[in-house]
Structures are given as C-alpha cells and as structure tokens.
Amino acid sequence: MTSLNKDSKNNSSLNLAFESIESCFGYVDYITAQIHKLIENYNQGNMDLANQNFVEVIELMDLYIQLVSRVYRVLRVEIPTMHKDESIQKLEIHLLSVMKALLQAKEKNDTIMLCDLLEYELADNLTQWKIKVLPELKKLKNY
C-alpha cells in the first residue's frame, strides 16, 4: 500500500470515527427512550412486551459499547497525543458492571432491581456519556 493510500485510509477511519461520535448523541437519546419504555412496561405489568423491550435494550447497549470501543481504538491510533481520561475509564467500568447486574437481575426475575438499575444506573450512565465523554471526544476533531 502506498503512503498516499495509507494516509487516505487513516483519514477516512478518523472521519468515520468522528461521524460515529456525532451519531452517538442521537443513539444515546434513542436508547434512553427505549429504557423508559421498558420501565413503563414493567410497571404496567406488560411482561411479554417488557421482555421483548429488555432484549432490544441489551442489544442496543451491546452495539453502543462496540461502537464506542472502536471509536476509541481509531482515535488512539490516529491521535497519538490522546490519552484516556480516568473519569472516562470509570464510566466505562461502571457501564459494564451495570450491564452485568442487569443480566443477573433478569436471570433472577427481580423486576424491582431491574427497573432500579435501568432508571437510576443505566440511564444516568448514558446521560454522563452524552454530557461529558462524547463532547470531549468531539473536541479532538480540532487537533
């Protein structure tokens, strides 16, 4: 691969990473709306619908985590001066622990714990991504 092709490929990867960051804002809003819909279904006793919504939220979160991981990977390679903020790492770890706790609560059919985790932990974590992490990543485009 020539140097020009390699630079072009890297540039397109970086552009795609920043486009992905932009789309994450709307994606977080969508997931949060699905979480609230899920909680509402549990609270109303619509268990079949809630179970379907739960699967959807888990799949959406899986995609979100994969997307953010790939964006980080590209940014770390393409912007050598970028360092991973400790608060971002804590937020990532918390997100993964919430996901694990959600699956455990679901296995135990503990809908009270499930709703608490969804409303107070997962939705809050996603809000933190939207107001702290994503804007910080977006700023890197100017480097």
Side-chain angles (χ1 to χ4, degrees), residues 70-82:
R70 286 189 174 98
V71 165
Y72 267 139
R73 197 172 311 129
V74 169
L75 293 178
R76 279 196 310 266
V77 168
E78 299 301 321
I79 305 172
T81 58
M82 181 189 143

Side-chain angles (χ1 to χ4, degrees), residues 97-143:
S97 69
V98 170
M99 295 301 295
K100 183 178 179 183
L102 279 170
L103 294 173
Q104 291 171 342
K106 180 68 174 148
E107 276 181 20
K108 295 176 184 175
N109 283 326
D110 188 344
T111 52
I112 293 171
M113 176 62 81
L114 201 56
C115 289
D116 282 351
L117 286 166
L118 288 164
E119 187 172 6
Y120 301 112
E121 298 292 332
L122 186 57
D124 180 63
N125 186 284
L126 287 171
T127 300
Q128 295 303 311
W129 278 91
K130 187 175 174 185
I131 63 175
K132 290 182 179 175
V133 177
L134 296 176
E136 285 300 313
L137 294 177
K138 191 176 168 181
K139 286 181 191 175
L140 293 172
K141 189 172 187 172
N142 299 327
Y143 286 96

Side-chain angles (χ1 to χ4, degrees), residues 88-105:
I88 293 173
Q89 286 180 321
K90 286 180 182 177
L91 207 53
E92 281 180 301
I93 291 167
H94 183 255
L95 178 59
L96 295 174
S97 69
V98 170
M99 295 301 295
K100 183 178 179 183
L102 279 170
L103 294 173
Q104 291 171 342

